[in-house]
Amino acid sequence: MEDKLQSWSDLWMKEDWWAIWFAAILTIAVYVGIITHVPKIGKWETNPLNAIPLEIIFPVLTMLVGIGLMTTVGMILMKENWKKYIPGFTVIFLIGIISYIFAHQTTIKAWGISYAIWALFFGLLISNTIGTPDWLLKGARSEMFIKTGLVLLGAEILFSKILKLGAPGLVVAWIVTPTVIIFMWFFGTRWLKITSKQLVIIIAAATSVCGVSAAIATAAACRAKKEELTLAVGMTMIFTVTMMIGMPALTKFMGISPEVGGAWLGGTIDSTGAVVAAGALLGENAEKVAAVVKMIQNILIGFMAFVVAVLWVAKVDRSEDGPKPSLMEIWYRFPKFILGFVLASLIFSFVLMPVLGGDEVAAILEQTKIFRGWFFCIAFVSIGLESNFKDLASQLVGGKPIILYIVGQSFNIVLTLFAAWLAFGGILFEKVF
Amino acid sequence: MNESIQLPESWKRVLFLGLGMVSTVGVVIALHFFSPWLPGTAGAVFKNNMEQNINAEALLYTEVGDVKEFLNQETGRYGIDLSMSISKAAKKP
């Protein structure tokens, strides 16, 4: 039985392992200097051509070919149809470039409408109008792209840095967050009786941890449906923009101090960029506290993904009257890319940071974070191409996911305000400023 | 006699895709021109993001700015030291 459960060939036959290899190849290539500059699409205001000036066209095309070749080798070794993958991948990458161009328009950027939303949108627009042709679907390896992006993301989660940031931030970020997740889990599964537990946990992670990135990691860890991730990401983006505008106004209206207000914003607004934007409106101190609290929350992505993956394999996916799975079976079914994610984080935090120092690690991450963005971007284009509005509507199940989000976020807002007052209001700790 | 023009299904689909793209570009143009005129907090958030060049679309802290800023405690933009222990709790008069 156990022989059947795993084989050495899994290392080159399974997508999960390939996600780790792809991320490792790219990171090592950056570290040893083979890749010195990963191109990114520029900002523009009125002329979209400014986003792709002549000097970056060749690097972008080189990256397209490079990532295409690397993933094609993986496809060949996984015995997948690589000949049909190449044209699909190429067009998906080009749609990814268009998504980035839209996201980098100055006004769009200031509103926080990220490439992930544009990529999803363009994918959905194609699949729901002309329909996604079969040849294009062959290149839509959304899971492979997401998992590779997640392993690269792991490197950016630096424990050593976050641990230095201190106790007040930890109180707000690490006590409230698990409480909100547990509350939303029970509210979603027991009260609202949402049948898809994956959908509940993705919405809970997105609401309480850090929006889109937490949703992606959790969805991959519990093998959620693409439509469930799409719904969670869409909802998160809408509420993030709303809260980015509404929360600073509410903080001012309630006369809350900048430090407590900053911690409140950092603990409640989903995405990091929106947290900084909202905090900046309350002043420099509020911006700093908000960003630090959100940074400490960011680290929970890894814990969250790991715990969800174990829970799903050991408990949720198991039939109620089925036998308790052995450790070997849990290992077999455990999504291996999560190991890559956690390992990347540990290596960067506790090996590379002390050995290479902050500046060199920063230089590596400056490049790998761009790769991570491209992988997430083409993953969302792929998800959009594979989804349709009918399937998305079926996920809404009478608006229950929206109720779950609103009730969970309201609970989060109240609890975080209390924790922020305790930690940053001079009650448990000295005031920071 | 009702002789309305019937487009082939495939043409309709391409037409919808084209309309979708044109509408998207229209929304971006409208947002670009009307955002600076927005009143209230929405306008304030937008103006502040533009003036301070804040990357509001950042998914993770590494996208907010230069990663080096976060990893260097000396120059760190957000590298403030919040590391206080509970024993240093504020003494209430």
Side-chain angles (χ1 to χ4, degrees):
Chain A
M1 171 76 178
E2 291 193 349
D3 286 343
K4 279 185 187 172
L5 285 179
Q6 68 167 1
S7 145
W8 285 107
S9 64
D10 285 358
L11 293 174
W12 61 88
M13 291 292 289
K14 295 276 169 80
E15 200 174 69
D16 272 30
W17 286 108
W18 272 107
I20 299 174
W21 308 143
F22 292 150
I25 289 167
L26 294 174
T27 308
I28 291 168
V30 169
Y31 173 57
V32 299
I34 295 171
I35 297 170
T36 53
H37 180 74
V38 185
K40 55 181 176 183
I41 303 296
K43 270 170 79 169
W44 60 282
E45 192 170 349
T46 51
N47 181 6
L49 290 178
N50 291 340
I52 38 167
L54 279 177
E55 62 266 24
I56 75 151
I57 291 177
F58 181 70
V60 167
L61 291 178
T62 308
M63 181 173 61
L64 190 163
V65 174
I67 294 178
L69 275 177
M70 181 182 74
T71 49
T72 301
V73 170
M75 297 288 284
I76 293 169
L77 289 168
M78 283 190 281
K79 297 198 166 77
E80 301 273 356
N81 192 337
W82 61 275
K83 285 179 188 165
K84 290 190 175 173
Y85 166 75
I86 292 173
F89 169 81
T90 308
V91 173
I92 285 168
F93 201 96
L94 294 175
I95 300 171
I97 294 174
I98 294 170
S99 308
Y100 259 120
I101 292 174
F102 271 79
H104 283 194
Q105 198 278 336
T106 48
T107 304
I108 297 297
K109 214 173 165 63
W111 282 119
I113 306 169
S114 73
Y115 65 83
I117 280 292
W118 288 108
L120 256 180
F121 172 76
F122 286 121
L124 281 167
L125 185 65
I126 292 170
S127 67
N128 287 277
T129 51
I130 55 172
T132 311
D134 271 349
W135 62 268
L136 191 52
L137 275 177
K138 301 282 183 216
R141 301 293 301 226
S142 50
E143 288 191 24
M144 184 170 84
F145 302 145
I146 274 196
K147 289 169 183 172
T148 307
L150 280 170
V151 179
L152 288 166
L153 181 100
E156 295 169 53
I157 308 288
L158 297 168
F159 290 83
S160 46
K161 168 69 185 170
I162 306 291
L163 291 178
K164 278 184 184 170
L165 295 173
L170 286 175
V171 167
V172 177
W174 283 17
I175 292 179
V176 175
T177 305
T179 313
V180 174
I181 291 172
I182 292 166
F183 168 79
M184 288 183 74
W185 171 259
F186 283 107
F187 184 73
T189 54
R190 301 269 171 90
W191 186 275
L192 292 175
K193 298 195 189 314
I194 296 175
T195 47
S196 168
K197 289 178 174 166
Q198 283 94 332
L199 183 60
V200 173
I201 199 71
I202 298 169
I203 295 174
T207 311
S208 56
V209 185
C210 50
V212 174
S213 41
I216 297 171
T218 315
C222 67
R223 297 189 172 99
K225 286 183 201 159
K226 293 173 181 72
E227 291 79 16
E228 291 169 337
L229 177 59
T230 305
L231 182 67
V233 167
M235 271 192 334
T236 303
M237 289 301 294
I238 292 167
F239 284 105
T240 298
V241 174
T242 311
M243 286 177 73
M244 178 176 77
I245 295 165
M247 288 294 284
L250 187 61
T251 310
K252 281 182 183 169
F253 175 75
M254 291 170 71
I256 296 170
S257 71
E259 302 87 71
V260 175
W264 194 28
L265 301 179
T268 51
I269 299 176
D270 293 338
S271 90
T272 308
V275 162
V276 174
L281 207 66
L282 298 180
E284 201 183 334
N285 289 350
E287 183 188 349
K288 280 182 178 176
V289 172
V292 166
V293 169
K294 186 47 83 180
M295 282 163 76
I296 298 173
Q297 256 189 359
N298 280 170
I299 203 175
L300 286 171
I301 301 175
F303 284 122
M304 180 79 198
F306 188 82
V307 170
V308 166
V310 172
L311 270 178
W312 244 256
V313 171
K315 210 167 159 70
V316 180
D317 272 350
R318 185 163 64 93
S319 60
E320 277 181 20
D321 50 351
K324 202 176 167 190
S326 65
L327 273 179
M328 201 60 200
E329 198 180 337
I330 290 175
W331 163 248
Y332 175 69
R333 291 170 57 204
F334 185 82
K336 307 297 182 300
F337 74 93
I338 298 281
L339 291 181
F341 179 104
V342 174
L343 263 178
S345 180
L346 293 174
I347 291 172
F348 268 78
S349 301
F350 300 114
V351 180
L352 297 184
M353 274 293 277
V355 172
L356 301 178
D359 287 356
E360 201 161 335
V361 167
I364 297 170
L365 293 181
E366 277 299 341
Q367 305 304 319
T368 58
K369 75 174 183 186
I370 306 171
F371 273 133
R372 188 254 302 160
W374 281 107
F375 272 99
F376 279 171
C377 186
I378 56 176
F380 277 112
V381 173
S382 305
I383 289 173
L385 289 171
E386 291 169 308
S387 308
N388 63 58
F389 289 134
K390 259 188 197 165
D391 292 339
L392 269 178
S394 71
Q395 297 301 324
L396 276 171
V397 283
K400 285 180 181 178
I402 298 171
I403 297 171
L404 174 65
Y405 186 95
I406 292 172
V407 172
Q409 190 62 276
S410 306
F411 179 69
N412 189 20
I413 286 171
V414 174
L415 198 62
T416 305
L417 178 59
F418 180 64
W421 171 70
L422 283 180
F424 288 89
I427 308 298
L428 285 181
F429 308 97
E430 281 176 14
K431 285 197 174 181
V432 177
F433 297 108
Chain B
M1 266 175 68
N2 184 5
E3 288 190 22
S4 59
I5 300 166
Q6 290 290 323
L7 283 173
E9 186 60 27
S10 57
W11 282 38
K12 270 189 200 168
R13 288 168 173 265
V14 173
L15 189 68
F16 281 132
L17 176 64
L19 279 175
M21 286 302 291
V22 171
S23 316
T24 308
V25 172
V27 169
V28 172
I29 292 171
L31 263 178
H32 181 70
F33 285 104
F34 290 116
S35 292
W37 303 99
L38 275 175
T41 320
V45 169
F46 173 75
K47 275 176 204 152
N48 201 47
N49 288 354
M50 291 291 279
E51 280 165 17
Q52 294 194 34
N53 201 18
I54 291 171
N55 184 14
E57 61 152 8
L59 296 185
L60 207 71
Y61 74 91
T62 44
E63 287 174 25
V64 173
D66 189 345
V67 181
K68 204 172 166 181
E69 290 180 345
F70 298 99
L71 300 187
N72 188 331
Q73 288 288 351
E74 301 276 317
T75 59
R77 195 170 159 201
Y78 301 116
I80 50 173
D81 187 15
L82 301 180
S83 53
M84 283 158 290
S85 69
I86 201 137
S87 60
K88 284 185 186 174
K91 287 174 186 144
K92 295 278 167 195

